Amino acid sequence: MKALFKNLFIAGIAVLFATDVNAQKKGKRVSDYVITPKDDTVACVITIPFLGKDTYTPMDDDPQPLRPEDIKGYYLRSKNAHFQSVYRPNEKKPVFLKALETGKINLYEDTVSNNITDSYKAVWYIAKWNGKIVELKRSKIAPAKPGKVPKNELEEMLMDNKNVYDVYTHDKVFTFDEARSFIHFYNTGVWQQGWVQAYPH
C-alpha cells in the first residue's frame, strides 16, 4: 500500500511539472525575453538553475542554451533586471553583466556573493556608445588591482556635456551612488539619487 501511495505521489508531481512546462510554452509565463545578434526580441522563459546550464525556452520550442557568445542580452522578469553580453577588460570571451544604466553611457555591474558569509562584492564597468568597457569602481570588499590607482574614467566620458561635467568636477565624493547618479543625469537629464538603498555596497 505504501508503495502504491508513493508511486501515485511521484506521478502527481510529474503531472504538475508537465503542466507547468506546457503552461510556460503556451505563454502563461512567457514574460522574459532575449535579444538575438540581429536585435530581434524573443519572448521566452529563462531558467537559471543553481546547478546546470542556463537556458531560455521560446514559445512552442525547446530549451536553448543561454550563452553570451550567442545572445546579445536578456531580461529576467523575476529580478526586473537586464543583462548584456560584454567583454570585460583584457578578456577574450564575453560574459553577461547586469546593466544598471543604458544610454550614451552604459553602467554594468559584476557581482560575486557568498551565501555562507553573507558577503557581497562588486566591480562596476562603464562604456560610452557601446565602446570599450573600462573599470569604474570596486566595492570596498572587492580587492583592488595591485600597484595601480584606478583612473577616473567617468570624468572623461562626461566632458562633452558641460553642465554635467562642471557639477561632477566640483563633487568630491566618488561613491557608487554618486557615480550612478551622474551617469543617469548624463543619459536622461534627470537627477536621481539614492541608488545605495537598492545596491548597498
Side-chain angles (χ1 to χ4, degrees):
M1 185 65 70
K2 289 183 179 180
L4 177 62
F5 280 116
K6 182 178 180 180
N7 291 335
L8 288 174
F9 176 77
I10 293 173
I13 293 296
V15 169
L16 287 174
F17 178 77
T19 301
D20 181 60
V21 171
N22 288 332
Q24 291 180 17
K25 287 191 174 184
K26 289 179 180 178
K28 294 183 179 179
R29 264 204 57 209
V30 177
S31 51
D32 307 324
Y33 64 79
V34 298
I35 301 173
T36 70
K38 295 182 179 180
D39 288 324
D40 294 326
T41 300
V42 179
C44 61
V45 174
I46 293 174
T47 304
I48 301 181
F50 184 73
L51 295 174
K53 296 181 178 180
D54 301 342
T55 61
Y56 69 97
T57 306
M59 293 180 64
D60 301 321
D61 203 350
D62 296 324
Q64 307 292 324
L66 183 66
R67 296 182 300 214
E69 298 90 346
D70 307 323
I71 298 297
K72 291 183 69 173
Y74 67 91
Y75 171 74
L76 195 59
R77 183 176 182 273
S78 62
K79 295 185 177 181
N80 189 27
H82 294 266
F83 297 83
Q84 290 186 6
S85 173
V86 299
Y87 289 87
R88 287 179 296 203
N90 302 317
E91 293 190 5
K92 296 182 179 180
K93 291 185 178 181
V95 296
F96 284 126
L97 294 185
K98 189 174 184 180
L100 302 181
E101 297 288 334
T102 56
K104 293 180 181 178
I105 298 178
N106 294 328
L107 171 64
Y108 302 103
E109 183 178 60
D110 189 9
T111 61
V112 177
S113 59
N114 189 324
N115 295 328
I116 297 176
T117 60
D118 195 28
S119 62
Y120 183 92
K121 62 181 181 181
V123 180
W124 295 285
Y125 299 94
I126 52 177
K128 192 168 185 179
W129 295 114
N130 293 318
K132 182 180 178 181
I133 289 181
V134 294
E135 183 177 322
L136 171 69
K137 188 174 175 59
R138 291 173 175 246
S139 60
K140 292 181 179 179
I141 59 175
K145 292 182 179 180
K148 185 177 181 181
V149 178
K151 180 182 177 182
N152 191 339
E153 301 281 358
L154 180 58
E155 184 173 339
E156 293 187 8
M157 293 188 183
L158 298 176
M159 288 181 70
D160 59 353
N161 186 321
K162 188 176 186 306
N163 292 333
V164 180
Y165 178 76
D166 288 347
V167 177
Y168 180 80
T169 53
H170 287 87
D171 190 336
K172 303 299 182 182
V173 181
F174 187 55
T175 62
F176 165 78
D177 187 69
E178 290 289 299
R180 183 174 182 183
S181 294
F182 275 103
I183 292 171
H184 187 80
F185 185 33
Y186 179 90
N187 286 340
T188 67
V190 177
W191 178 260
Q192 187 167 348
Q193 203 165 15
W195 305 115
V196 70
Q197 297 175 7
Y199 298 92
H201 305 306

